[in-house]
């Protein structure tokens, strides 16, 4: 979502004649978009500002604006702690970024803009053309969260659930497709809670599927509890909806799920997966896990490992519990650091084994790959298959924006390598 927000911030700043530069030294304004989900992300902000300071030692100071959830959470504290920062702008106030920059330029004021103005934000963004021209483009459809998992800052930094107008989303999607997008990734902290005037995520997917040149639709991140029957049904209908579902579970222990306030059990989660697979047997799953949540016992952790075996996730994102200020879990006693690290290592080793076993099943088979960009190496192109696996092939033809059948020949933990399936192509033409 930060990537989507950063692109939109650029679209707004363009209107006051700012342009992007890749060269750090050239910039006269830095906008640092931030994440507050885990501790390290906050540290990164200070690190980034340190880097800017170094570049501008003995030179005119550039304007420095911190945007996003760290700005929201820390507000004035950030301005007090780091005098180099000219303004903090929360994730629901960034539509005012041009005003903020102009005020800093003209009035040399330091500003705090961290109001929750999500309706106003999207009203204003709806009038500004989304200039993103990536083959795979993000589209924020929903923001905020009402779930209040005990560990999570999102309800405090992004605010309450808000869903954007279906008509405006259709327009923005059409615009992205006319810019060259072939795939749209619908975004929301709780994306399957999307609801605008009785239109749910399933209705939005059906509507967007009508856009002719749009070939693929994905969405992230969904909560198991909001996986309604209509959304399950659509897997039996839509050919554009990709067969990988990111379905965070966080833990395989009912005891821990309850402590986290996740609002479901392991049984409920596995039932949901069963129902989805009945609708579409080719479905695969990825997930997020928090390891060493306060009071997690060895047994709880073993239950998490068992769940991994059952679901056979093709991808997992695992994090050690990070105490976030202001959340209920921050007050709880943390697990011993050594034990926590050992568990994370064991988890990641197992996740890697499951992933590699899956990836081996892809070798010498065909995958349908949408090519997104070219690589530094001559004639190499990067794309993703239907399950979001990264694939690289060589080709004399420019493949960007095309979907091709690829024979996967080898791969490692991050990337699959393949060859364009000319034989297969000939068969199609002969048919
Ligand atoms: N809404 C999604 C859900 O319900 O699972 C998750 C969105 S959250 C922005 C992304 C991931 O960050 C979570 O799934 C969780 O694994 C991780 N996360 C959030 N808070 C965390 C914390 N305090 N410590 C460690 N990981 C955390
Ligand atoms: Fe955070 Fe997701 Fe829980 Fe909402 S559902 S509080 S975003 S982890």
């Amino acid at each position: 979502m930060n990537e989507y927000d950063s692109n939109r911030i650029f679209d707004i700043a363009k209107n006051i004649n700012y342009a992007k530069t890749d060269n750090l030294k050239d910039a006269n304004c830095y906008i640092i978009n931030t994440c507050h989900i885990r501790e390290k992300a906050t540290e990164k902000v200070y690190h980034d500002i340190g880097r800017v300071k170094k570049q501008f030692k003995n030179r005119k100071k550039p304007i420095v604006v911190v945007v996003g959830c760290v700005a929201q959470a820390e507000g004035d504290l950030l301005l007090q702690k780091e005098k180099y920062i000219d303004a903090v702008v929360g994730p629901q106030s960034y539509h005012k970024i041009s005003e903020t920059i102009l005020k800093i330029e003209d009035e040399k004021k330091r500003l705090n803009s961290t109001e929750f103005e999500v309706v106003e934000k999207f009203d204003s963004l709806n009038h500004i053309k989304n200039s993103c021209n990536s083959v795979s483009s993000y589209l924020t459809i929903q923001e905020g969260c009402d779930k209040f998992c005990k560990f999570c800052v999102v309800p405090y930094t992004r605010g309450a659930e808000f869903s954007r107008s279906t008509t405006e989303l259709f327009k923005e999607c059409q615009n992205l497709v006319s810019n060259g997008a072939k795939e749209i990734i619908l975004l929301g902290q709780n994306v399957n809670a999307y609801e605008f005037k009785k239109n749910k995520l399933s209705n939005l997917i059906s509507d967007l599927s009508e856009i002719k040149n749009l070939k693929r639709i994905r969405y992230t991140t969904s909560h198991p509890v909001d996986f309604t029957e209509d959304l399950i049904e659509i897997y039996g209908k839509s050919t554009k909806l990709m067969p990988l579902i990111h379905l965070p579970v966080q833990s395989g222990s009912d005891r821990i799920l309850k402590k986290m306030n996740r609002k479901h059990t392991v049984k409920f989660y596995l039932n949901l997966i069963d129902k989805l697979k009945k609708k579409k047997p080719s479905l695969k799953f990825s997930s997020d896990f928090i390891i060493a949540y306060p009071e997690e016992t060895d047994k709880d952790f073993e239950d998490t490992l068992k769940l991994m075996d059952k679901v056979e996730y093709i991808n997992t994102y695992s994090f050690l519990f990070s105490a976030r200020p202001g959340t209920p879990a921050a007050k709880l006693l943390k697990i011993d650091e050594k034990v926590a690290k050992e568990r994370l290592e064991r988890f990641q080793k197992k996740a890697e084994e499951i992933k590699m076993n899956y990836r081996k099943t892809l070798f010498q088979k065909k995958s349908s790959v949408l090519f997104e960009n070219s690589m530094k190496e001559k004639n190499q192109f990067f794309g993703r298959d239907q399950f979001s696996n990264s694939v690289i092939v060589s080709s004399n033809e420019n493949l960007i924006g095309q979907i091709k059948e690829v024979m996967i020949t080898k791969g490692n933990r991050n990337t699959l390598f393949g060859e364009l399936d000319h034989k297969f192509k000939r068969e199609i033409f002969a048919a």
Side-chain angles (χ1 to χ4, degrees):
M1 189 172 283
N2 271 8
E3 198 173 318
Y4 176 85
D5 289 344
S6 297
N7 285 334
R8 298 304 271 150
I9 287 168
F10 170 63
D11 287 337
I12 302 166
K14 257 194 329 201
N15 290 335
I16 51 163
N17 296 325
Y18 274 83
K20 270 186 200 168
T21 174
D22 289 330
N23 195 350
L24 214 85
K25 285 185 187 158
D26 286 346
N28 51 4
C29 176
Y30 282 88
I31 300 178
I32 304 176
N33 198 1
T34 62
C35 173
H36 199 243
I37 201 80
R38 283 173 297 278
E39 215 172 341
K40 280 199 180 126
T42 316
E43 284 166 20
K44 206 170 163 278
V45 178
Y46 291 107
H47 179 81
D48 280 354
I49 290 177
R51 223 159 45 106
V52 178
K53 267 184 178 173
K54 222 169 157 184
Q55 286 284 351
F56 284 84
K57 209 173 161 197
N58 306 325
R59 289 173 56 203
K60 186 171 178 277
K61 177 191 170 310
I63 291 174
V64 174
V65 184
V66 179
V67 190
C69 291
V70 173
Q72 187 67 43
E74 307 246 325
D76 282 338
L77 199 71
L78 210 58
L79 290 170
Q80 278 160 24
K81 266 199 211 162
E82 183 49 87
K83 299 280 179 254
Y84 211 71
I85 300 172
D86 295 292
V88 287
V89 178
Q92 306 306 13
S93 310
Y94 73 70
H95 54 296
K96 294 191 291 196
I97 197 86
S98 299
E99 265 168 70
T100 308
I101 294 172
L102 292 176
K103 259 198 189 136
I104 301 168
E105 279 178 357
D106 296 345
E107 300 169 26
K108 309 275 176 270
K109 266 190 186 155
R110 297 180 83 217
L111 301 163
N112 179 339
S113 175
T114 46
E115 306 78 19
F116 283 100
E117 292 173 348
V118 64
V119 178
E120 193 188 303
K121 178 178 89 173
F122 283 113
D123 277 352
S124 132
L125 283 175
N126 288 340
H127 300 291
I128 298 170
K129 200 171 176 288
N130 189 329
S131 68
C132 175
N133 59 2
S134 308
V135 169
S136 174
S137 291
Y138 290 121
L139 175 57
T140 292
I141 65 163
Q142 180 277 340
E143 271 200 47
C145 183
D146 298 340
K147 292 275 184 305
F148 288 92
C149 298
K150 300 255 184 204
F151 52 82
C152 184
V153 284
V154 168
Y156 312 97
T157 53
R158 290 259 172 188
E161 273 173 16
F162 169 83
S163 293
R164 295 181 62 192
S165 138
T166 317
T167 318
E168 291 300 336
L169 287 171
F170 190 83
K171 274 197 231 157
E172 191 171 333
C173 187
Q174 266 184 325
N175 168 229
L176 288 168
V177 172
S178 65
N179 289 353
K182 295 282 188 275
E183 172 177 276
I184 293 289
I185 307 177
L186 307 175
L187 300 177
Q189 272 85 33
N190 208 347
V191 73
N192 54 340
Y194 174 83
E195 188 161 354
F196 184 84
K197 294 190 178 161
K198 301 234 158 64
N199 273 324
K200 301 178 79 145
L201 178 58
S202 61
N203 306 109
L204 182 65
I205 291 169
S206 298
D207 287 357
L208 299 183
S209 298
E210 298 295 317
I211 300 177
K212 194 171 154 256
N213 287 330
L214 177 62
K215 305 291 180 204
R216 292 182 169 186
I217 301 173
R218 304 184 192 273
Y219 60 86
T220 196
T221 295
S222 42
H223 191 289
V225 168
D226 290 322
F227 235 100
T228 45
E229 288 300 324
D230 53 305
L231 190 55
I232 298 175
E233 280 298 313
I234 195 126
Y235 278 94
K237 295 178 193 156
S238 173
T239 50
K240 293 193 177 178
L241 189 56
M242 290 296 102
L244 170 71
I245 303 181
H246 185 60
L247 196 59
V249 66
Q250 316 298 352
S251 169
S253 152
D254 282 344
R255 217 178 64 87
I256 296 297
L257 288 178
K258 193 150 191 237
K259 284 183 190 296
M260 288 176 165
N261 190 30
R262 286 294 288 180
K263 303 176 178 22
H264 66 82
T265 59
V266 174
K267 192 170 166 204
F268 174 91
Y269 181 85
L270 288 172
N271 263 341
L272 173 61
I273 288 187
D274 273 354
K275 275 197 213 168
L276 281 158
K277 279 190 164 168
K278 273 193 191 117
K279 253 316 134 213
K280 194 175 179 98
S282 62
L283 277 181
K284 302 271 180 222
F285 295 86
S286 60
S287 192
D288 294 347
F289 289 84
I290 296 181
I291 307 297
Y293 191 73
E295 297 174 35
E296 183 190 75
T297 61
D298 285 342
K299 158 93 175 55
D300 295 320
F301 177 64
E302 294 299 329
D303 286 346
T304 297
L305 297 183
K306 275 185 204 149
L307 178 67
M308 288 169 75
D309 276 329
K310 283 188 187 139
V311 183
E312 296 184 332
Y313 296 103
I314 66 166
N315 223 341
T316 55
Y317 303 88
S318 48
F319 316 100
L320 279 182
F321 166 71
S322 165
R324 308 312 294 124
T327 61
K331 296 192 195 100
L332 304 174
L333 195 67
K334 280 181 103 175
I335 301 270
D336 174 75
E337 207 182 313
K338 190 164 165 266
V339 173
K341 282 194 175 147
E342 273 167 15
R343 283 185 192 161
L344 185 68
E345 253 172 52
R346 269 185 73 196
F347 177 95
Q348 291 181 339
K349 193 163 171 256
K350 188 169 186 68
E352 218 38 50
E353 277 165 22
I354 297 174
K355 182 173 171 175
M356 281 316 289
N357 284 341
Y358 155 70
R359 289 169 90 83
K360 278 180 203 153
T361 66
L362 303 175
F363 296 170
Q364 302 310 323
K365 300 224 175 75
K366 287 166 202 150
S367 286
S368 190
V369 179
L370 169 61
F371 287 93
E372 294 177 21
N373 43 47
S374 54
M375 311 280 297
K376 272 196 202 124
E377 290 79 7
K378 215 173 154 227
N379 298 342
Q380 289 210 327
F381 291 88
F382 169 90
R384 286 183 191 277
D385 70 7
Q386 292 179 308
F387 300 96
S388 263
N389 295 309
S390 310
V391 180
I392 293 178
V393 302
S394 297
S395 166
N396 291 326
E397 181 196 352
N398 181 355
L399 300 178
I400 298 173
Q402 299 190 54
I403 296 178
K404 294 274 185 194
E405 292 301 310
V406 172
M407 179 64 80
I408 302 299
T409 49
K410 58 183 180 177
N412 56 36
R413 56 198 292 272
N414 297 320
T415 314
L416 298 168
F417 299 89
E419 286 166 13
L420 287 183
D421 196 346
H422 296 295
K423 182 168 166 281
F424 182 71
K425 218 163 101 184
R426 276 201 301 276
E427 278 165 12
I428 294 180
F429 283 127

